[in-house]
């Protein structure tokens, strides 16, 4: 089955720095990927998504990069703010099963 | 646009008791998901509905968990009897259709003592 993993359980950055959170997936049939932010006591909040026909997508202060060759995606947050402190999850969905699979999450800690 | 609604937000029960969680997805969303999230882990899919039909329930512990979405709108997840290891957040999510963006509710926090 699909497995999705994040490279680091915790990432600490200074306010104003850029943050990069990485994620690897196992199923080469995965063709849709979503990044979520989960604050303490809340449900996961959609941040940005990307489909396999793209290798980069930008949002407000966030960029997702997809490398299908090595089955890796990353979330870049520009000018990280204290409000960005949360756990970030990537989810992978394959077109065949449409079953979304989540990784364990990376906890982003932003120091003022 | 209203988000995914869940209730209750918090529930504490004793082991072997039963509990039910309710979810109302975003209006017009055909696909509904129930996830279990244990502290420190990512969400694990329990069951996926497409309208009122079950698409996948391979990870649902069917001896104690049940879920229904009779009219293809709101859904109920039941646990009976509960075990200590069922302590988790139960997240409901919905998407317009399978393979579309999935939106989550705030979750129902269950503690089994």
């Amino acid at each position: 089955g699909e497995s999705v993993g994040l490279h680091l359980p915790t990432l600490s950055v200074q306010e104003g720095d850029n943050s990069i959170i990485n994620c690897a997936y196992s199923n080469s049939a995965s063709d849709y990927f979503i990044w979520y932010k989960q604050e303490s006591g809340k449900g996961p909040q959609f941040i940005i998504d990307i489909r396999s026909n793209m290798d980069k997508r930008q949002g407000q202060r966030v960029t997702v990069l997809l490398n299908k060759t090595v089955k890796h995606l990353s979330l870049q947050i520009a000018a990280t703010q204290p409000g960005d402190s949360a756990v970030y999850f990537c989810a992978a969905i394959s077109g065949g099963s449409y079953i979304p699979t989540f990784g364990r999450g990376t906890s982003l800690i932003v120091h003022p | 646009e209203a988000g995914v609604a869940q209730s209750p937000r918090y529930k504490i029960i004793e082991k072997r008791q039963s509990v039910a969680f309710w979810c109302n997805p975003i209006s017009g969303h055909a696909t509904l998901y129930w996830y279990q999230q244990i502290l420190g882990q990512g969400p694990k899919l329990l069951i996926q509905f497409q309208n009122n039909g079950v698409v996948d329930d391979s990870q649902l512990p069917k001896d104690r968990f049940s879920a229904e979405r009779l009219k293809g709108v709101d859904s109920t997840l039941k646990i009976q009897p509960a075990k200590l290891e069922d302590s988790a957040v139960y997240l409901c999510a919905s998407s317009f259709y399978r393979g579309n963006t999935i939106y989550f509710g705030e979750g129902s926090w269950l503690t089994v003592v």
Side-chain angles (χ1 to χ4, degrees), chain B residues 30-50:
Chain B
T31 311
L32 185 147
Y33 313 79
W34 283 102
Y35 281 85
Q36 179 193 58
Q37 186 176 26
I38 293 172
L39 188 65
Q41 298 182 17
K44 183 185 86 171
L45 181 69
L46 293 175
I47 189 167
Q48 181 182 157
F49 291 95
Q50 183 67 24

mmCIF file of all heavy atoms in Angstrom, chain B residues 30-50:
data_model
loop_
_atom_site.group_PDB
_atom_site.id
_atom_site.type_symbol
_atom_site.label_atom_id
_atom_site.label_comp_id
_atom_site.label_asym_id
_atom_site.label_seq_id
_atom_site.Cartn_x
_atom_site.Cartn_y
_atom_site.Cartn_z
ATOM 1 N N ALA B 30 -19.900 15.191 -2.397
ATOM 2 C CA ALA B 30 -20.391 13.825 -2.531
ATOM 3 C C ALA B 30 -19.575 12.827 -1.711
ATOM 4 O O ALA B 30 -20.077 11.790 -1.313
ATOM 5 C CB ALA B 30 -20.367 13.410 -4.004
ATOM 6 N N THR B 31 -18.303 13.146 -1.476
ATOM 7 C CA THR B 31 -17.422 12.197 -0.801
ATOM 8 C C THR B 31 -17.217 12.614 0.654
ATOM 9 O O THR B 31 -16.936 13.776 0.931
ATOM 10 C CB THR B 31 -16.064 12.118 -1.517
ATOM 11 O OG1 THR B 31 -16.275 11.937 -2.918
ATOM 12 C CG2 THR B 31 -15.242 10.954 -0.988
ATOM 13 N N LEU B 32 -17.366 11.666 1.535
ATOM 14 C CA LEU B 32 -17.205 11.931 2.963
ATOM 15 C C LEU B 32 -16.249 10.904 3.548
ATOM 16 O O LEU B 32 -16.308 9.720 3.191
ATOM 17 C CB LEU B 32 -18.566 11.864 3.675
ATOM 18 C CG LEU B 32 -18.603 12.228 5.171
ATOM 19 C CD1 LEU B 32 -19.935 12.905 5.517
ATOM 20 C CD2 LEU B 32 -18.377 11.026 6.053
ATOM 21 N N TYR B 33 -15.371 11.368 4.415
ATOM 22 C CA TYR B 33 -14.339 10.516 5.012
ATOM 23 C C TYR B 33 -14.403 10.610 6.538
ATOM 24 O O TYR B 33 -14.665 11.678 7.086
ATOM 25 C CB TYR B 33 -12.938 10.982 4.603
ATOM 26 C CG TYR B 33 -12.723 11.268 3.147
ATOM 27 C CD1 TYR B 33 -13.162 12.467 2.579
ATOM 28 C CD2 TYR B 33 -12.032 10.377 2.328
ATOM 29 C CE1 TYR B 33 -12.944 12.755 1.243
ATOM 30 C CE2 TYR B 33 -11.805 10.660 0.987
ATOM 31 C CZ TYR B 33 -12.262 11.850 0.452
ATOM 32 O OH TYR B 33 -12.037 12.130 -0.874
ATOM 33 N N TRP B 34 -14.140 9.491 7.180
ATOM 34 C CA TRP B 34 -13.870 9.483 8.613
ATOM 35 C C TRP B 34 -12.429 9.032 8.816
ATOM 36 O O TRP B 34 -12.012 7.993 8.290
ATOM 37 C CB TRP B 34 -14.804 8.536 9.365
ATOM 38 C CG TRP B 34 -16.186 9.051 9.592
ATOM 39 C CD1 TRP B 34 -17.316 8.724 8.918
ATOM 40 C CD2 TRP B 34 -16.587 9.980 10.614
ATOM 41 N NE1 TRP B 34 -18.394 9.394 9.435
ATOM 42 C CE2 TRP B 34 -17.978 10.173 10.487
ATOM 43 C CE3 TRP B 34 -15.908 10.659 11.626
ATOM 44 C CZ2 TRP B 34 -18.715 11.016 11.330
ATOM 45 C CZ3 TRP B 34 -16.637 11.492 12.462
ATOM 46 C CH2 TRP B 34 -18.021 11.667 12.310
ATOM 47 N N TYR B 35 -11.695 9.846 9.570
ATOM 48 C CA TYR B 35 -10.316 9.527 9.905
ATOM 49 C C TYR B 35 -10.172 9.398 11.421
ATOM 50 O O TYR B 35 -10.872 10.058 12.185
ATOM 51 C CB TYR B 35 -9.359 10.644 9.451
ATOM 52 C CG TYR B 35 -9.020 10.636 7.987
ATOM 53 C CD1 TYR B 35 -9.841 11.260 7.057
ATOM 54 C CD2 TYR B 35 -7.863 10.021 7.535
ATOM 55 C CE1 TYR B 35 -9.515 11.272 5.709
ATOM 56 C CE2 TYR B 35 -7.524 10.023 6.185
ATOM 57 C CZ TYR B 35 -8.367 10.646 5.287
ATOM 58 O OH TYR B 35 -8.034 10.649 3.949
ATOM 59 N N GLN B 36 -9.224 8.575 11.825
ATOM 60 C CA GLN B 36 -8.827 8.495 13.228
ATOM 61 C C GLN B 36 -7.414 9.064 13.348
ATOM 62 O O GLN B 36 -6.525 8.681 12.573
ATOM 63 C CB GLN B 36 -8.833 7.043 13.709
ATOM 64 C CG GLN B 36 -8.412 6.870 15.164
ATOM 65 C CD GLN B 36 -8.136 5.407 15.506
ATOM 66 O OE1 GLN B 36 -7.287 4.767 14.894
ATOM 67 N NE2 GLN B 36 -8.874 4.874 16.458
ATOM 68 N N GLN B 37 -7.226 9.980 14.280
ATOM 69 C CA GLN B 37 -5.888 10.543 14.493
ATOM 70 C C GLN B 37 -5.479 10.339 15.948
ATOM 71 O O GLN B 37 -6.033 10.971 16.855
ATOM 72 C CB GLN B 37 -5.836 12.016 14.129
ATOM 73 C CG GLN B 37 -4.412 12.594 14.193
ATOM 74 C CD GLN B 37 -4.329 14.032 13.730
ATOM 75 O OE1 GLN B 37 -5.309 14.781 13.801
ATOM 76 N NE2 GLN B 37 -3.160 14.434 13.253
ATOM 77 N N ILE B 38 -4.525 9.471 16.136
ATOM 78 C CA ILE B 38 -3.959 9.238 17.460
ATOM 79 C C ILE B 38 -2.879 10.289 17.704
ATOM 80 O O ILE B 38 -2.172 10.688 16.771
ATOM 81 C CB ILE B 38 -3.409 7.811 17.568
ATOM 82 C CG1 ILE B 38 -4.578 6.825 17.503
ATOM 83 C CG2 ILE B 38 -2.608 7.608 18.842
ATOM 84 C CD1 ILE B 38 -4.174 5.383 17.402
ATOM 85 N N LEU B 39 -2.750 10.722 18.935
ATOM 86 C CA LEU B 39 -1.829 11.803 19.282
ATOM 87 C C LEU B 39 -0.435 11.543 18.738
ATOM 88 O O LEU B 39 0.137 10.463 18.933
ATOM 89 C CB LEU B 39 -1.772 11.946 20.813
ATOM 90 C CG LEU B 39 -1.000 13.143 21.347
ATOM 91 C CD1 LEU B 39 -1.686 14.439 20.935
ATOM 92 C CD2 LEU B 39 -0.880 13.058 22.866
ATOM 93 N N GLY B 40 0.090 12.514 18.000
ATOM 94 C CA GLY B 40 1.441 12.410 17.462
ATOM 95 C C GLY B 40 1.539 11.709 16.127
ATOM 96 O O GLY B 40 2.645 11.554 15.593
ATOM 97 N N GLN B 41 0.407 11.296 15.586
ATOM 98 C CA GLN B 41 0.419 10.592 14.309
ATOM 99 C C GLN B 41 -0.416 11.335 13.267
ATOM 100 O O GLN B 41 -1.197 12.223 13.598
ATOM 101 C CB GLN B 41 -0.121 9.172 14.484
ATOM 102 C CG GLN B 41 0.711 8.316 15.420
ATOM 103 C CD GLN B 41 0.181 6.897 15.541
ATOM 104 O OE1 GLN B 41 -0.608 6.446 14.717
ATOM 105 N NE2 GLN B 41 0.626 6.189 16.565
ATOM 106 N N GLY B 42 -0.242 10.924 12.025
ATOM 107 C CA GLY B 42 -1.075 11.470 10.971
ATOM 108 C C GLY B 42 -2.444 10.804 10.957
ATOM 109 O O GLY B 42 -2.630 9.731 11.536
ATOM 110 N N PRO B 43 -3.414 11.428 10.323
ATOM 111 C CA PRO B 43 -4.754 10.831 10.241
ATOM 112 C C PRO B 43 -4.733 9.496 9.484
ATOM 113 O O PRO B 43 -4.034 9.363 8.479
ATOM 114 C CB PRO B 43 -5.557 11.886 9.471
ATOM 115 C CG PRO B 43 -4.800 13.164 9.635
ATOM 116 C CD PRO B 43 -3.368 12.758 9.693
ATOM 117 N N LYS B 44 -5.514 8.555 9.983
ATOM 118 C CA LYS B 44 -5.645 7.257 9.339
ATOM 119 C C LYS B 44 -7.079 7.094 8.864
ATOM 120 O O LYS B 44 -8.017 7.247 9.646
ATOM 121 C CB LYS B 44 -5.287 6.130 10.307
ATOM 122 C CG LYS B 44 -5.335 4.735 9.675
ATOM 123 C CD LYS B 44 -5.094 3.641 10.703
ATOM 124 C CE LYS B 44 -6.370 3.252 11.393
ATOM 125 N NZ LYS B 44 -6.216 2.049 12.252
ATOM 126 N N LEU B 45 -7.254 6.783 7.591
ATOM 127 C CA LEU B 45 -8.596 6.653 7.040
ATOM 128 C C LEU B 45 -9.310 5.443 7.626
ATOM 129 O O LEU B 45 -8.784 4.334 7.631
ATOM 130 C CB LEU B 45 -8.520 6.516 5.517
ATOM 131 C CG LEU B 45 -9.861 6.398 4.799
ATOM 132 C CD1 LEU B 45 -10.633 7.725 4.882
ATOM 133 C CD2 LEU B 45 -9.674 5.982 3.346
ATOM 134 N N LEU B 46 -10.534 5.667 8.109
ATOM 135 C CA LEU B 46 -11.371 4.568 8.600
ATOM 136 C C LEU B 46 -12.353 4.135 7.523
ATOM 137 O O LEU B 46 -12.520 2.942 7.256
ATOM 138 C CB LEU B 46 -12.134 4.998 9.852
ATOM 139 C CG LEU B 46 -11.304 5.258 11.105
ATOM 140 C CD1 LEU B 46 -12.194 5.789 12.225
ATOM 141 C CD2 LEU B 46 -10.588 3.989 11.554
ATOM 142 N N ILE B 47 -13.037 5.106 6.927
ATOM 143 C CA ILE B 47 -14.056 4.780 5.952
ATOM 144 C C ILE B 47 -14.256 5.960 5.017
ATOM 145 O O ILE B 47 -14.098 7.114 5.408
ATOM 146 C CB ILE B 47 -15.387 4.390 6.642
ATOM 147 C CG1 ILE B 47 -16.400 3.829 5.650
ATOM 148 C CG2 ILE B 47 -15.967 5.559 7.436
ATOM 149 C CD1 ILE B 47 -17.598 3.149 6.318
ATOM 150 N N GLN B 48 -14.581 5.636 3.768
ATOM 151 C CA GLN B 48 -14.836 6.648 2.755
ATOM 152 C C GLN B 48 -16.184 6.341 2.100
ATOM 153 O O GLN B 48 -16.430 5.211 1.676
ATOM 154 C CB GLN B 48 -13.728 6.650 1.713
ATOM 155 C CG GLN B 48 -13.886 7.682 0.614
ATOM 156 C CD GLN B 48 -12.792 7.637 -0.440
ATOM 157 O OE1 GLN B 48 -12.973 8.079 -1.563
ATOM 158 N NE2 GLN B 48 -11.651 7.109 -0.102
ATOM 159 N N PHE B 49 -17.052 7.355 2.043
ATOM 160 C CA PHE B 49 -18.352 7.240 1.393
ATOM 161 C C PHE B 49 -18.351 8.054 0.095
ATOM 162 O O PHE B 49 -17.776 9.130 0.024
ATOM 163 C CB PHE B 49 -19.464 7.815 2.280
ATOM 164 C CG PHE B 49 -19.768 7.026 3.517
ATOM 165 C CD1 PHE B 49 -19.180 7.364 4.733
ATOM 166 C CD2 PHE B 49 -20.663 5.979 3.485
ATOM 167 C CE1 PHE B 49 -19.481 6.663 5.881
ATOM 168 C CE2 PHE B 49 -20.976 5.265 4.634
ATOM 169 C CZ PHE B 49 -20.380 5.609 5.832
ATOM 170 N N GLN B 50 -19.034 7.539 -0.890
ATOM 171 C CA GLN B 50 -19.357 8.298 -2.081
ATOM 172 C C GLN B 50 -20.883 8.334 -2.120
ATOM 173 O O GLN B 50 -21.524 7.298 -2.305
ATOM 174 C CB GLN B 50 -18.796 7.639 -3.340
ATOM 175 C CG GLN B 50 -19.032 8.415 -4.604
ATOM 176 C CD GLN B 50 -18.281 9.727 -4.650
ATOM 177 O OE1 GLN B 50 -17.266 9.905 -3.982
ATOM 178 N NE2 GLN B 50 -18.775 10.654 -5.432
#
